Amino acid sequence: MANQTPAQEQAAPQDRPKSRRVGALSGLLPFIRPYRALMWGAIAALTLTAFVSLLLPIAVRRVVDTFNADDVTLLNQYFAAALGIVALLALGTGARYYMVTRLGERVVADIRRALFDRMIGMSPSFFERIMTGEILSRLTTDTTLVLSVIGSSVSIALRNLLLLAGGLVLMLLTSGKLTGLVLLLVPMVIVPIVVMGRRLRVLSRESQDLIAASSANAAEALMAAQTVQSFTHERVSRAAFSDVTERAFDAARRRIGTRAIMTVIVIFLVFNGIVGVLWIGANDVRSGAMTAGVLVQFVIYAVMVAGAVGALSEIWGELQRAAGATERLMELLAAADAVEDPATPVALPRPVRGEVRFQDVTFRYPARPGIAALNGVTLDISPGETVALVGPSGAGKTTIIQLLQRFYDPSGGSITIDGVDLRDMARSDFRAALSMVPQEPVIFAASARENIRFGRPEATDAEVDEAARAAAAHDFLSALPRGYDTELGERGVLLSGGQRQRVAIARAILRDAPILLLDEATSALDAESERAVQAAVERLAEGRTTLIVAHRLATVKKADRIIVFDHGRIVDSGTHDALVARNGLYARLARLQFTEGSAAA
């Protein structure tokens, strides 16, 4: 395990519960239930096709037994009836295919939507336990398996079950003696299906887990392709991906081998039995104990039954894989989140004044339970006040921003906006009153205009342009090939770091929320752009409650109050001049920064 990548460790199959039973497919019922009419229509169509298929051997028997008859009309009638049966079979099969496939596509689309809806609202602590690449694998690979089952395997399985049951009954009516001989073979066929099916179930789940690990590994490396190349890590990354992919292939190879052996055994036993029964039946025809037509009818039913058993053994393997996939999907849909909205949320009072209060807040990140990110923090921020949070890296500044957005809940104490505890409100309600500029801005693979409009989807083009001007982004956006309508590429690859930062600031300006959160918002800007954006931020902060997290102390000098953090505690507060005069941590940080700045100049 020491050589495993984080992606491999995350998805190691031995850490996961294995697929227990095909009954796990019952988790799909809530998604199928809304389309009961389509489901019953498909069942009716497959029942019709199975019934018609069972009539064909009787028609063949009549034709065979009338080969030597003097009345040609009767023979023609039997042939016409056979053609009618075939036409009915074709229509029923077409109707079954349409309804079953449509049902499968509809259900899988609903599952994908439900899964995305669930995942997009999960708190960051959830994504500390599972990689995004694995979720994407479940959204794609696992739902594709479910589609193959609903859209094909289940209907084929039901049809073959009907053919098996009906064929056995009609075989018994055709010849009890030959049917008894055939039934002696059933235990010999069932035993390998059950025994090897258990092994197949485990291998199917292992294979899917490793495919998810492979996807997670690839997503992680490709999303950081520039970093991989900068550190000439390609060989190691390729080796890691190759390793997990080979392990996935090995699991798939073992699954395929087990299924192939099971198929060989079942088909060998079934058709050996048919040959033996056919030999006995041929002797009965020679002795006059039965007609040739009866034997042909029995053989056709026997072949149908054998084919149904063979198909069911193959479909059983598909159902095993789909059961594992369904379990994985249901695990995500039922995943518990550390942060949930209350059953009866309290509404944030409107208009929002923007009073923020942290009362004796203690917090530890789930991934680092031994380290207190905040320890007994009490902080009162008045409506319209601009407060800067400063301190060394890891002091707890960004944690304040994350807790205020309720990405996590504090382990002790409370956080309120306008006197209402965040845990008593719906997250979408109070987050609508927040506007955020993160340290690492997220740019979507959309146009520049749509990226800015992300802050307020209903905004007009004129409002977007005004926000871009206020963020000093208008000039470079206008210079793009299609101006504001230029696609910025995945993660904004067409823009520099500073330009991405200004687009994010324009997004926050457009949102026009009463509480503004700036987490190193100007860290990626050059001096000229920083001055322009700083002026825009100052205008934006007027009349709003503003929290500024900054390492560059020059950006916080004009704050109404500066809060100094160290090791998760507030160690000082005041204006810039007052803090410098005290000669504490803030003064030391200021001296280091301004001295380095002078030396660099």
Side-chain angles (χ1 to χ4, degrees):
M1 294 296 289
N3 295 325
Q4 282 188 314
T5 66
Q8 290 169 298
E9 291 176 352
Q10 178 70 36
Q14 59 266 34
D15 295 334
R16 293 230 182 93
K18 304 300 181 186
S19 174
R20 294 180 298 277
R21 62 193 189 286
V22 171
L25 292 170
S26 62
L28 301 175
L29 289 178
F31 295 94
I32 296 175
R33 214 166 274 131
Y35 310 106
R36 285 189 292 267
L38 198 59
M39 180 185 70
W40 286 115
I43 290 174
L46 74 86
T47 303
L48 173 66
T49 57
F51 177 74
V52 170
S53 297
L54 291 170
L55 290 179
L56 272 174
I58 298 175
V60 172
R61 170 190 172 181
R62 298 294 186 188
V63 170
V64 171
D65 284 343
T66 54
F67 272 159
N68 298 322
D70 295 332
D71 190 354
V72 180
T73 304
L74 185 60
L75 182 63
N76 291 339
Q77 287 175 349
Y78 284 141
F79 268 110
L83 288 175
I85 291 171
V86 169
L88 197 58
L89 179 64
L91 288 172
T93 301
R96 175 184 63 83
Y97 171 79
Y98 173 78
M99 286 185 281
V100 165
T101 305
R102 179 179 168 183
L103 176 64
E105 293 284 358
R106 181 66 270 167
V107 167
V108 166
D110 288 351
I111 291 174
R112 284 177 174 152
R113 187 169 58 225
L115 186 58
F116 181 82
D117 288 351
R118 177 67 175 154
M119 292 299 101
I120 199 67
M122 299 299 274
S123 66
S125 60
F126 175 80
F127 294 98
E128 292 174 5
R129 304 192 305 270
I130 186 169
M131 295 185 70
T132 306
E134 180 163 352
I135 295 174
L136 293 176
S137 173
R138 297 191 187 190
L139 266 173
T140 53
T141 306
D142 287 357
T143 52
T144 299
L145 278 175
V146 171
L147 174 61
S148 72
V149 166
I150 299 176
S152 174
S153 299
V154 169
S155 72
I156 295 174
L158 289 174
R159 184 174 179 273
N160 279 287
L161 280 173
L162 290 174
L163 289 177
L164 176 61
L168 284 172
V169 170
L170 290 171
M171 282 170 61
L172 186 61
L173 293 175
T174 304
S175 172
K177 171 187 172 182
L178 296 181
T179 303
L181 294 172
V182 169
L183 291 179
L184 292 175
L185 297 170
V186 172
M188 298 172 62
V189 175
I190 295 298
V191 169
I193 291 178
V194 173
V195 173
M196 300 186 76
R198 291 174 183 167
R199 171 67 177 160
L200 193 61
R201 191 159 58 236
V202 174
L203 290 173
S204 297
R205 180 62 188 258
E206 181 182 352
S207 175
Q208 288 306 113
D209 283 336
L210 286 167
I211 288 172
S214 177
S215 297
N217 183 289
E220 184 179 47
L222 292 174
M223 288 175 67
Q226 290 185 10
T227 303
V228 170
Q229 293 168 20
S230 295
F231 286 88
T232 60
H233 202 268
E234 295 95 332
R235 182 182 60 79
V236 178
S237 295
R238 286 172 184 144
F241 181 75
S242 176
D243 176 62
V244 71
T245 302
E246 283 302 312
R247 287 167 57 211
F249 168 75
D250 184 62
R253 177 186 57 77
R254 284 182 281 125
R255 172 180 57 78
I256 293 167
T258 301
R259 184 171 168 183
I261 292 170
M262 184 174 73
T263 302
V264 167
I265 292 172
V266 170
I267 291 178
F268 177 78
L269 291 174
V270 167
F271 282 94
N272 260 357
I274 289 175
V275 170
V277 170
L278 184 58
W279 176 72
I280 294 171
N283 283 311
D284 285 348
V285 172
R286 284 177 59 83
S287 65
M290 68 169 62
T291 65
V294 171
L295 178 60
V296 169
Q297 176 179 319
F298 182 86
V299 168
I300 294 175
Y301 279 133
V303 170
M304 289 175 68
V305 168
V309 172
L312 286 171
S313 70
E314 283 206 24
I315 291 167
W316 186 253
E318 290 294 328
L319 293 178
Q320 300 283 0
R321 293 186 70 200
T326 302
E327 274 188 334
R328 290 153 52 86
L329 291 169
M330 295 306 119
E331 283 171 5
L332 282 186
L333 287 172
D337 196 1
V339 178
E340 296 281 0
D341 288 338
T344 54
V346 176
L348 179 64
R350 297 296 197 277
V352 178
R353 295 184 300 113
E355 180 188 34
V356 175
R357 179 175 173 80
F358 283 69
Q359 179 62 42
D360 197 23
V361 170
T362 299
F363 174 70
R364 299 170 187 267
Y365 283 100
R368 305 190 300 273
I371 303 172
L374 293 179
N375 195 352
V377 170
T378 296
L379 175 62
D380 292 314
I381 303 172
S382 303
E385 185 180 12
T386 297
V387 174
L389 312 178
V390 302
S393 295
K397 307 181 299 296
T398 297
T399 301
I400 291 287
I401 299 293
Q402 292 187 320
L403 290 180
L404 185 54
Q405 296 175 90
R406 205 184 168 213
F407 289 152
Y408 302 90
D409 280 333
S411 50
S414 64
I415 305 169
T416 62
I417 296 178
D418 290 353
V420 184
D421 195 305
L422 299 187
R423 288 170 291 200
D424 295 333
M425 296 183 282
R427 286 168 290 174
S428 59
D429 182 22
F430 71 79
R431 284 176 185 170
L434 306 175
S435 188
M436 172 71 182
V437 181
Q439 183 175 359
E440 297 180 3
V442 175
I443 303 298
F444 299 93
S447 69
R449 191 179 305 282
E450 290 306 311
N451 265 285
I452 296 173
R453 190 177 274 129
F454 193 85
R456 185 155 56 91
E458 70 278 7
T460 64
D461 287 351
E463 290 173 322
V464 170
D465 293 353
E466 184 180 348
R469 290 179 189 276
H474 175 73
D475 291 344
F476 72 81
L477 290 179
S478 299
L480 292 172
R482 295 177 56 205
Y484 280 71
D485 295 321
T486 302
E487 297 287 325
L488 299 182
E490 186 178 14
R491 290 179 290 143
V493 294
L494 290 185
L495 304 180
S496 68
Q499 289 172 335
R500 288 196 293 270
Q501 195 83 45
R502 278 179 275 178
V503 169
I505 291 170
R507 184 186 294 162
I509 291 171
L510 182 66
R511 188 164 175 82
D512 195 24
I515 300 175
L516 180 62
L517 309 176
L518 304 172
D519 188 359
E520 296 287 354
T522 60
S523 62
L525 302 181
D526 56 73
E528 183 178 356
S529 297
E530 182 177 12
R531 280 194 294 271
V533 170
Q534 194 63 44
V537 168
E538 288 172 11
R539 289 195 300 273
L540 176 63
E542 291 177 4
R544 290 179 172 80
T545 303
T546 306
L547 272 74
I548 304 173
V549 173
H551 286 106
R552 295 165 69 168
L553 304 184
T555 63
V556 302
K557 281 185 175 182
K558 295 182 180 180
D560 297 322
R561 190 159 41 117
I562 299 171
I563 309 297
V564 185
F565 281 82
D566 191 24
H567 294 98
R569 295 178 181 273
I570 295 176
V571 296
D572 209 346
S573 67
T575 63
H576 170 76
D577 293 336
L579 289 170
V580 169
R582 287 184 196 141
N583 202 27
L585 175 60
Y586 180 85
R588 187 164 70 251
L589 293 173
R591 280 197 301 271
L592 284 170
Q593 194 167 111
F594 294 138
T595 300
E596 288 175 2
S598 301

